[in-house]
Amino acid sequence: MLRRGSQALRRFSTGRVYFKNQLKLALIGQSLFGQEVYSHLCKEGHRVVGVFTVPDKDGKADPLAMAAEKDGTPVFKFPRWRVKGKTIKEVAEAYRSVGAELNVLPFCTQFIPMDVIDSPKHGSIIYHPSILPRHRGASAINWTLIMGDKKAGFSVFWADDGLDTGPILLQRSCDVEPNDTVDAIYNRFLFPEGIKAMVEAVQLIADGKAPRIPQPEEGATYEGIQKKENAEISWDQSAEVLHNWIRGHDKVPGAWTEINGQMVTFYGSSLLNSPVPPGEPLEMKGAKKPGLVTKHGLVLFGNDGKALMVRNLQFEDGKMIPASQYFSAGETAVVELTAEEKKVAETIKVIWAGILSNVPVIEDSTDFFKSGASSMDVVRLVEEIRQKCGGLQLQNEDVYMATKFEDFIQKVVRKLRGEDQEEELVVDYVSKEVNEMTVNIPYQCFINGQFTDAEDGKTYDTINPTDGSTICKVSYASLVDVDKAVAAAKDAFDNGEWGRMNARERGRLMYRLADLLEENQEELATIEALDSGAVYTLALKTHIGMSVQTFRYFAGWCDKIQGSTIPINQARPNRNLTFTKKEPLGVCAIIIPWNYPLMMLAWKSAACLAAGNTLVLKPAQVTPLTALKFAELSVKAGFPKGVINIIPGSGGVAGQRLSEHPDIRKLGFTGSTPIGKQIMRSAASNLKKVSLELGGKSPLIIFNDCEIDKAVRMGMGAVFFNKGENCIAAGRLFVEESIHDEFVTRVSVVFCKLGDIQVEEIKKMKIGDPLDRSTDHGPQNHKAHLEKLLQYCEAGVKEGATLVYGGRQVPRPGFFMEPTVFTDVEDHMYLAREESFGPIMVISKFQNGDIDGVLLRANNTEYGLASGVFTRDINKAMYVSEKLEAGTVFINTYNKTDVAAPFGGVKQSGFGKDLGEEALNEYLKTKTVTLEY
């Protein structure tokens, strides 16, 4: 850096060069905030000529002092600046020796004499955490919440001889969210934006542009420092006032009341906007109505009949517990450590010693906070344990709830053993020895984190399509089960941990679930093959593989969902700010089909969960098993109770109830068009949001200038992939006249006289057991579907289409059908108009060069899910892609879907998107916020 007088020439990688005024600064204060302000000012080129801070506490230097000492900046540690109202001479001389041009006080608990404040050329500036003149005094952030202010913020002001009364240099503000705590506002806004503002203020002074705006007396308030004895809760107030009092004292000094003769402090308050959950009454001194200890926390009642909930309680001895455990707090026995656990304990002791450097020896009785640790040390402790103890993931609250080393180790050990989980998941498996492994299959409803029989005990058989045998009996969900599942999902959203969880933690759970799906992919693919008839190798790659990819993709979106700011006409003379927020909808219902049981679950539920919703999912009645296995894995991944609920059963009972349920805010459905229409009618009962992926009759147009080998190969895949049970399967092939016969010949050869044709490519396909690695084509999903396909072929023959091959059931146990080819299919025929959803190729001819004519025929359908075109002419391809009425167009390829690309149909193929960023919008609502300032 080149210095020229009082200016510095700064060079950046962009090549820009400009001059920036700089000052000699004295930093007076302490804390991590002070350290960050110091570091940022140094980066901006200002010269900190001295740091004046507090003495070391228990041998541990303040963060500001440590940073300055590391840089070689002069550091002065004075216990006080004056005695009996007079400045200490030695302190004043030390201060004047550094020759500061400006005093910067980012956070200072000491009284600084006015002769020091006024000494520099530019005086002194101070950071204050309120929008002055409101809340003058040291507990400003607390009083912002206690008084129920809708705005919080900070001021940087010029110091004078009053208490926070000097002229304003700059101010910044933010909204106060309904459940914000002091820590939440500080971490979200006051800390990061305050650092930037202090740096900006110094630069304004250096540039001679800093304003001095006198503080008005109108609206000025002063509140004293809140102490523990003054923080007792007065109960005869509204729920909102009680909530503000509790959160305004969280974490220091802590709002408290007397319970059973003991002072109990409340932390983690939130307003309760949902029905009060059941619980056990708890009497509190002075409260007219007892609280309720529920599974989510302690419910408290205001004098207005409304309620709030407190998550954590702290006793007089410093012990903190979840409020939900009040009546069982003393029941936990001390556990004996194994040799491996003792190694973990020693590692954690070293971590504690590194943080509590002022403590000579870490003993069982050592208290983390009484030994000088701060909230930032909590973050460090949790992170170091994760890094050095095999990825063990603790929460910040785990530290607050076990502050003594001995208690903390006990908590860690219980977490390692899984003993801190609310209840162990009990799964009553059906086990099968198949595919060279033991497959464990859940078969009950999964509601509120537990597998349970249907309310009325009803079950039904799920059938293996390979041989028609029963795999197991599965619970048949009743209306009562559906209502229980919805209630559990609503409770988890309104009151549970999921609703309070930050977005990155939500993403971490989804990543973990994706890992578990991948770790169990062989078992999942085997279950999929048993239950749906999917070929094992295809199930492994596509059914399961894409499910893993989908959860990983949407896990990455969790912390990237954001709104936008919008310029609007100002309401002069005032100014306005308008912005949007993206929020979850609440409880979502998902109803999925039977062709890709797990993959369809993933496509919808991953986006739903990433957006922050809870869900109730009904798998297809004939293929429920991988969904129930998924439920088991979701518990292992750490998803809280009630977030994911799976209810096997019929569409007429469970599906219908979901579509009309008043507490469902969104329903995502993949299935037939007639059922989609019925869902829309039912969803109108409470105008729930709906997205539908319905039937298709996807046209594939093959022009004479295509690469014909590729067109034949991919045309086969477009029809026969996954036994034709594919929503985007090419329902009709249009082949240009000049290559029609060659195309058919490439697919087939003349086999014998009288025009009998054997389809050569089809004959290469091995039909058989889907668990056989050499099998290409497994059984159709279920018996009724096979019978429908056979009827479809009979209709084609009756109308005059040419049956080239197939059209029959394979003579073997199970629901196998021969791959089938029809040619000479005319536009009026049933085969040309209706979807088969099976391994049936329907070929029609179109005249050479008649692009618009074939487009007219291709679009002459009420469906519009997918489409395809094969041609070497890019202009023709783009023209056709623009004219095709479909949600997806494939050019010189087919079936190429990806988790990042939106998928969905038009016309009677439905609306709404799965996959890609657009899928998130199906599970979010947009809130517009406009404020005036």
Side-chain angles (χ1 to χ4, degrees):
M1 185 175 290
L2 304 176
R3 296 195 175 273
R4 297 183 180 180
S6 64
Q7 296 178 321
L9 182 65
R10 306 188 74 195
R11 298 183 181 275
F12 295 88
S13 59
T14 60
R16 292 177 58 206
V17 180
Y18 67 93
F19 292 98
K20 193 166 188 177
N21 296 305
Q22 297 173 335
L23 294 174
K24 293 190 291 182
L25 307 174
L27 252 72
I28 303 175
Q30 69 239 49
S31 80
L32 184 64
F33 182 72
Q35 175 196 316
E36 289 295 319
V37 171
Y38 163 82
S39 299
H40 281 73
L41 287 171
C42 291
K43 288 178 183 177
E44 289 299 309
H46 296 287
R47 184 183 172 195
V48 179
V49 294
V51 166
F52 298 85
T53 187
V54 294
D56 296 354
K57 183 179 179 181
D58 297 323
K60 187 177 182 180
D62 181 81
L64 173 58
M66 288 192 289
E69 288 170 344
K70 184 178 179 180
D71 292 343
T73 301
V75 176
F76 304 86
K77 302 177 181 179
F78 300 133
R80 64 186 64 84
W81 288 71
R82 63 180 191 167
V83 174
K84 296 181 179 180
K86 293 185 178 181
T87 305
I88 300 172
K89 182 180 179 181
E90 294 79 5
V91 173
E93 289 175 351
Y95 166 77
R96 286 193 293 270
S97 70
V98 302
E101 298 172 318
L102 174 69
N103 291 333
V104 178
L105 285 73
F107 175 74
C108 183
T109 58
Q110 296 177 313
F111 188 92
I112 310 302
M114 284 307 300
D115 54 339
V116 173
I117 292 292
D118 295 335
S119 177
K121 171 183 175 183
H122 296 291
S124 302
I125 60 171
I126 302 176
Y127 171 91
H128 183 78
S130 81
I131 307 172
L132 292 171
R134 190 163 174 79
H135 304 311
R136 293 169 175 164
S139 296
I141 314 178
N142 304 76
W143 284 104
T144 297
L145 295 177
I146 292 169
M147 300 302 291
D149 292 1
K150 302 303 180 184
K151 290 281 185 181
F154 58 81
S155 306
V156 179
F157 69 96
W158 299 92
D160 66 2
D161 58 359
L163 182 60
D164 304 331
T165 57
I168 301 297
L169 195 161
L170 61 78
Q171 290 181 319
R172 299 285 185 270
S173 66
C174 69
D175 290 332
V176 177
E177 299 294 335
N179 294 319
D180 271 341
T181 62
V182 171
D183 281 353
I185 295 175
Y186 185 73
N187 293 330
R188 183 179 75 242
F189 185 79
L190 299 179
F191 184 88
E193 295 303 318
I195 294 165
K196 296 176 188 176
M198 288 298 285
V199 175
E200 179 183 348
V202 170
Q203 194 59 53
L204 286 170
I205 296 169
D207 295 339
K209 299 178 180 179
R212 292 176 179 261
I213 304 170
Q215 286 191 43
E217 282 305 311
E218 182 182 355
T221 63
Y222 169 78
E223 295 91 9
I225 296 174
Q226 277 301 92
K227 297 180 179 180
K228 192 71 174 183
E229 58 266 28
N230 299 327
E232 184 176 5
I233 299 169
S234 176
W235 290 106
D236 192 18
Q237 302 181 86
S238 69
E240 183 175 2
V241 171
L242 293 174
H243 166 62
N244 289 336
W245 183 262
I246 295 170
R247 67 177 178 148
H249 291 85
D250 186 336
K251 297 276 196 281
V252 177
W256 61 276
T257 193
E258 188 177 314
I259 302 176
N260 293 327
Q262 182 178 185
M263 179 191 290
V264 178
T265 305
F266 294 169
Y267 297 107
S269 174
S270 59
L271 291 170
L272 191 62
N273 297 316
S274 57
V276 175
E280 190 172 348
L282 178 64
E283 297 289 341
M284 296 169 292
K285 183 179 179 181
K288 293 182 179 179
K289 186 175 182 179
L292 280 179
V293 177
T294 75
K295 63 181 180 180
H296 297 298
L298 174 62
V299 176
L300 308 173
F301 298 93
N303 61 11
D304 56 353
K306 297 182 179 179
L308 59 145
M309 182 176 288
V310 171
R311 292 201 308 273
N312 299 315
L313 305 175
Q314 188 174 41
F315 299 104
E316 290 179 355
D317 62 0
K319 182 180 181 182
M320 186 180 286
I321 64 165
S324 60
Q325 298 177 10
Y326 178 83
F327 288 113
S328 58
E331 297 176 4
T332 304
V334 176
V335 298
E336 289 292 328
L337 274 59
T338 66
E340 195 63 32
E341 289 165 350
K342 288 178 180 178
K343 291 179 182 178
V344 173
E346 286 302 316
T347 300
I348 293 174
K349 181 175 284 190
V350 172
I351 295 171
W352 273 52
I355 295 172
L356 306 176
S357 56
N358 55 301
V359 178
V361 179
I362 303 297
E363 299 176 342
D364 286 348
S365 59
T366 300
D367 188 286
F368 193 68
F369 296 105
K370 291 180 180 179
S371 299
S374 66
S375 59
M376 289 306 299
D377 293 318
V378 173
V379 177
R380 175 182 168 184
L381 175 62
V382 169
E383 183 62 17
E384 283 200 43
I385 289 175
R386 185 186 66 80
Q387 292 175 348
K388 298 177 182 178
C389 297
L392 175 61
Q393 187 65 56
L394 300 176
Q395 304 301 318
N396 290 359
E397 286 188 356
D398 292 330
V399 185
Y400 289 113
M401 292 181 188
T403 61
K404 292 182 180 180
F405 183 74
E406 181 179 31
D407 296 337
F408 186 73
I409 292 300
Q410 290 283 309
K411 189 164 194 66
V412 167
V413 170
R414 289 192 175 90
K415 189 169 283 284
L416 284 170
R417 297 179 182 181
E419 294 175 3
D420 64 334
Q421 298 177 4
E422 292 182 6
E423 292 180 37
E424 183 181 354
L425 179 67
V426 178
V427 188
D428 190 6
Y429 296 113
V430 169
S431 297
K432 292 188 175 292
E433 296 295 328
V434 62
N435 202 22
E436 300 182 355
M437 68 178 74
T438 301
V439 177
N440 295 313
I441 308 172
Y443 61 87
Q444 298 166 295
C445 299
F446 182 75
I447 300 173
N448 201 25
Q450 295 294 321
F451 285 103
T452 180
D453 291 334
E455 179 72 17
D456 56 13
K458 285 187 178 179
T459 63
Y460 69 95
D461 293 341
T462 185
I463 304 300
N464 182 346
T466 301
D467 57 13
S469 64
T470 297
I471 302 171
C472 63
K473 290 186 177 297
V474 177
S475 293
Y476 187 92
S478 66
L479 294 178
V480 173
D481 297 308
V482 176
D483 289 347
K484 282 182 179 179
V486 174
K490 189 174 189 302
D491 189 44
F493 183 83
D494 291 339
N495 305 314
E497 178 186 353
W498 183 255
R500 300 188 299 268
M501 188 178 292
N502 66 61
R504 289 183 183 173
E505 177 65 13
R506 193 162 67 241
R508 186 188 68 81
L509 291 181
M510 291 184 66
Y511 276 122
R512 175 61 180 146
L513 181 53
D515 290 344
L516 286 169
L517 291 172
E518 189 171 52
E519 290 170 17
N520 293 272
Q521 60 183 334
E522 289 85 2
E523 185 177 20
L524 287 164
T526 301
I527 297 172
E528 199 94 318
L530 290 174
D531 205 25
S532 75
V535 172
Y536 174 77
T537 51
L538 176 65
L540 202 59
K541 179 179 184 295
T542 301
H543 293 228
I544 314 306
M546 196 172 189
S547 300
V548 173
Q549 294 174 27
T550 302
F551 269 94
R552 286 189 176 141
Y553 174 80
F554 283 108
W557 268 110
C558 287
D559 62 353
K560 299 171 186 66
I561 298 170
Q562 53 191 305
S564 59
T565 55
I566 304 170
I568 65 169
N569 290 334
Q570 305 294 328
R572 299 173 185 250
N574 296 313
R575 303 184 70 186
N576 298 98
L577 170 66
T578 295
F579 61 91
T580 60
K581 299 170 65 179
K582 297 287 188 180
E583 298 178 342
L585 297 168
V587 182
C588 298
I590 294 174
I591 303 176
I592 57 173
W594 41 258
N595 57 328
Y596 295 102
L598 187 65
M599 193 172 81
M600 292 297 98
L601 176 154
W603 280 23
K604 288 185 176 358
S605 63
C608 174
L609 294 168
N613 301 286
T614 57
L615 65 87
V616 179
L617 183 140
K618 193 200 86 64
Q621 184 172 349
V622 293
T623 55
L625 299 184
T626 45
L628 294 171
K629 191 68 178 180
F630 167 85
E632 178 192 350
L633 296 178
S634 73
V635 176
K636 292 182 179 179
F639 277 79
K641 287 183 176 182
V643 174
I644 295 170
N645 303 271
I646 310 291
I647 47 169
S650 71
V653 176
Q656 179 63 29
R657 179 58 177 153
L658 287 173
S659 65
E660 64 190 16
H661 200 292
D663 289 334
I664 298 289
R665 295 301 171 193
K666 158 69 196 278
L667 192 147
F669 172 75
T670 295
S672 71
T673 297
I675 298 301
K677 293 178 179 180
Q678 175 61 38
I679 284 173
M680 286 194 70
R681 285 190 288 267
S682 300
S685 60
N686 70 332
L687 296 179
K688 59 174 60 69
K689 190 174 183 179
V690 175
S691 59
L692 305 171
E693 194 249 285
L694 306 175
K697 188 65 178 175
S698 302
L700 175 56
I701 304 173
I702 301 174
F703 288 100
N704 59 14
D705 60 352
C706 71
E707 184 182 335
I708 195 161
D709 288 338
K710 183 177 183 181
V712 169
R713 185 176 71 255
M714 289 201 161
M716 298 279 290
V719 175
F720 299 118
F721 186 79
N722 198 49
K723 311 164 292 175
E725 295 169 352
N726 188 19
C727 49
I728 58 172
R732 193 176 180 193
L733 276 64
F734 293 94
V735 183
E736 197 160 7
E737 186 175 20
S738 60
I739 64 164
H740 176 273
D741 293 344
E742 181 184 0
F743 181 87
V744 174
T745 300
R746 295 255 183 160
V747 172
S748 60
V749 296
V750 177
F751 185 61
C752 60
K753 60 182 181 179
L754 301 178
D756 289 339
I757 296 177
Q758 173 185 359
V759 179
E760 192 65 25
E761 290 293 330
I762 291 176
K763 293 291 284 186
K764 294 177 183 177
M765 296 172 64
K766 180 180 177 181
I767 301 172
D769 184 351
L771 292 174
D772 185 334
R773 304 305 192 268
S774 63
T775 294
D776 300 302
H777 191 85
Q780 303 311 132
N781 188 275
H782 52 281
K783 184 177 181 180
H785 183 54
L786 172 63
E787 292 171 349
K788 174 190 167 188
L789 294 175
L790 295 174
Q791 293 169 4
Y792 186 90
C793 293
E794 289 174 7
V797 172
K798 286 179 181 178
E799 287 191 317
T802 301
L803 177 61
V804 176
Y805 182 80
R808 298 167 299 185
Q809 182 175 359
V810 177
R812 59 169 290 167
F815 311 137
F816 292 86
M817 181 177 179
E818 294 176 336
T820 300
V821 177
F822 279 98
T823 59
D824 303 320
V825 178
E826 302 297 331
D827 293 354
H828 69 276
M829 293 180 178
Y830 183 77
L831 269 63
R833 293 181 289 108
E834 295 299 327
E835 179 183 29
S836 72
F837 212 65
I840 302 172
M841 181 178 282
V842 175
I843 303 176
S844 298
K845 186 188 302 183
F846 69 94
Q847 293 181 355
N848 293 332
D850 189 10
I851 299 175
D852 290 326
V854 75
L855 281 169
L856 189 64
R857 296 171 68 190
N859 288 331
N860 186 25
T861 172
E862 277 302 303
Y863 299 111
L865 189 57
S867 59
V869 56
F870 278 84
T871 175
R872 286 190 174 97
D873 186 337
I874 187 62
N875 293 320
K876 184 191 298 182
M878 295 307 297
Y879 176 78
V880 170
S881 71
E882 289 174 6
K883 297 296 183 181
L884 283 168
E885 298 170 356
T888 296
V889 181
F890 298 108
I891 298 177
N892 295 328
T893 187
Y894 209 88
N895 284 327
K896 178 54 182 172
T897 56
D898 187 88
V899 294
F903 179 91
V906 298
K907 299 194 288 191
Q908 291 197 42
S909 287
F911 50 84
K913 296 293 184 183
D914 291 324
L915 304 180
E917 181 180 359
E918 285 194 39
L920 289 168
N921 293 324
E922 302 296 332
Y923 296 93
L924 292 165
K925 60 186 177 185
T926 301
K927 179 181 288 183
T928 301
V929 180
T930 298
L931 61 94
E932 187 171 282
Y933 60 97

